[in-house]
Amino acid sequence: MSADLPVWPTTKAILEYCWQERRLALRYAAVPVALLIAMDSVGTAAGVDIAEDKVWTFAASIVALLVFMPTMVTWYYGVVFGHEEARRRPIFTFGRREGAVLGTNILVAIVIGLSLIPLAALVALVAGPVGYVVSEFAGQVTAVVLGIPAVFVWLMILTRLSVVIAYAAAGEHLGLKDAWRITKPFGVQITWMHVILGCIGMGISTAATALVSEGMELAGLGNGDGPAPAIDLAVSVTDALFGVIYLVLTTTLFGVVYRKIGPLQTAEGQTAEPKI
């Protein structure tokens, strides 16, 4: 397997691909986005503080995870098999592959959640004594110095293990141990791509929601003590719309890694080459 997966050219190709296939994203993301907007609209009409209510936030997160499964699978189809194959899929469906993608998402979430424990403990184990013996400021500096590589390692675990989601979408099963092994040649590269694409996606979403919130506040739609329900709903709608960007960018990355590695076993016993 070639370790040649250069960061900047691949990132640029991913961005170009996503822009080129933006109509596909809009077509298949329309239903889940509409469902999330409808859910928040009902909650707002019922008097729920959708921005602060933790139960509502948790429920909305679960619903978002479920309703975006078909979009994720369809987008993987486009990256792996071509947009013509993707367009043959129903606008919204939930079948075996969506269930497999959901299961692998949950599994990866559990593993990366558990991986935070030893990483955080390692940082605290070193920074704590430094802060106690030297000074509180020295301890804080040590925590930051150690925390940055610890976060990168955590992101690398997330990125490399998330490849199993692409295989689930393609109808194949790949274990977490095997995902870690086969992504070793370019683990650092794809982690940097994940960071860059994540910053772009979340940056656009954050900027859009902040612009909407501030614009409505300036228009006098606040209630004086904080954001009005109308602002919360508008922010939620904007977040649902622009949050798709992060999903599409990162899903493309994992699809590219799948194409780089190839299917577990093709009919000819050969691995596939990436198209983007």
Side-chain angles (χ1 to χ4, degrees):
M1 181 194 308
S2 172
D4 181 26
L5 199 60
V7 174
W8 292 112
T10 307
T11 301
K12 181 174 179 289
I14 288 173
L15 292 171
E16 290 174 347
Y17 175 84
C18 291
W19 177 252
Q20 175 185 332
E21 298 295 336
R22 61 191 182 278
R23 291 184 179 84
L24 184 68
L26 291 171
R27 179 183 181 187
Y28 285 91
V31 172
V33 167
L35 289 174
L36 291 179
I37 292 173
M39 179 180 176
D40 282 341
S41 299
V42 171
T44 300
V48 178
D49 187 343
I50 61 174
E52 299 294 336
D53 191 295
K54 291 182 173 57
V55 175
W56 183 269
T57 301
F58 177 76
S61 299
I62 297 299
V63 171
L65 179 63
L66 291 171
V67 299
F68 270 110
M69 285 301 105
T71 305
M72 289 182 65
V73 174
T74 297
W75 194 260
Y76 276 125
Y77 259 68
V79 177
V80 174
F81 304 118
H83 70 275
E84 291 182 0
E85 286 294 323
R87 289 182 180 276
R88 291 193 180 99
R89 283 175 49 82
I91 293 296
F92 189 82
T93 184
F94 202 103
R96 181 178 57 83
R97 294 197 182 190
E98 284 75 20
V101 170
L102 175 62
T104 51
N105 267 282
I106 294 172
L107 178 61
V108 170
I110 292 172
V111 172
I112 64 171
L114 292 174
S115 69
L116 279 174
I117 298 174
L119 290 171
L122 181 62
V123 173
L125 190 63
V126 177
V130 171
Y132 181 77
V133 175
V134 182
S135 68
E136 182 179 349
F137 178 73
Q140 293 172 346
V141 171
T142 303
V144 172
V145 171
L146 295 177
I148 293 174
V151 169
F152 187 83
V153 169
W154 180 78
L155 285 171
M156 183 182 294
I157 296 172
L158 168 62
T159 304
R160 291 174 63 177
L161 295 186
S162 293
V163 174
V164 300
I165 302 172
Y167 276 85
E172 302 179 56
H173 172 73
L174 180 68
L176 295 179
K177 184 183 294 186
D178 289 330
W180 185 261
R181 174 180 57 81
I182 62 182
T183 55
K184 182 179 179 180
F186 39 76
V188 174
Q189 292 97 310
I190 61 177
T191 302
W192 277 118
M193 290 182 222
H194 195 177
V195 171
I196 295 168
L197 295 171
C199 287
I200 293 173
M202 290 188 291
I204 292 174
S205 179
T206 300
T209 52
L211 183 62
V212 168
S213 178
E214 290 298 322
M216 295 186 73
E217 286 279 4
L218 291 174
L221 296 177
N223 59 17
D225 299 321
I231 296 180
D232 288 339
L233 182 58
V235 168
S236 176
V237 170
T238 307
D239 187 60
L241 290 171
F242 287 88
V244 176
I245 297 175
Y246 171 79
L247 175 68
V248 165
L249 290 175
T250 54
T251 300
T252 305
L253 170 62
F254 301 135
V256 167
V257 176
Y258 174 94
R259 292 301 303 261
K260 181 67 179 178
I261 298 170
L264 298 178
Q265 183 69 44
T266 64
E268 296 80 14
Q270 302 295 324
T271 55
E273 290 298 323
K275 287 185 176 180
I276 61 174

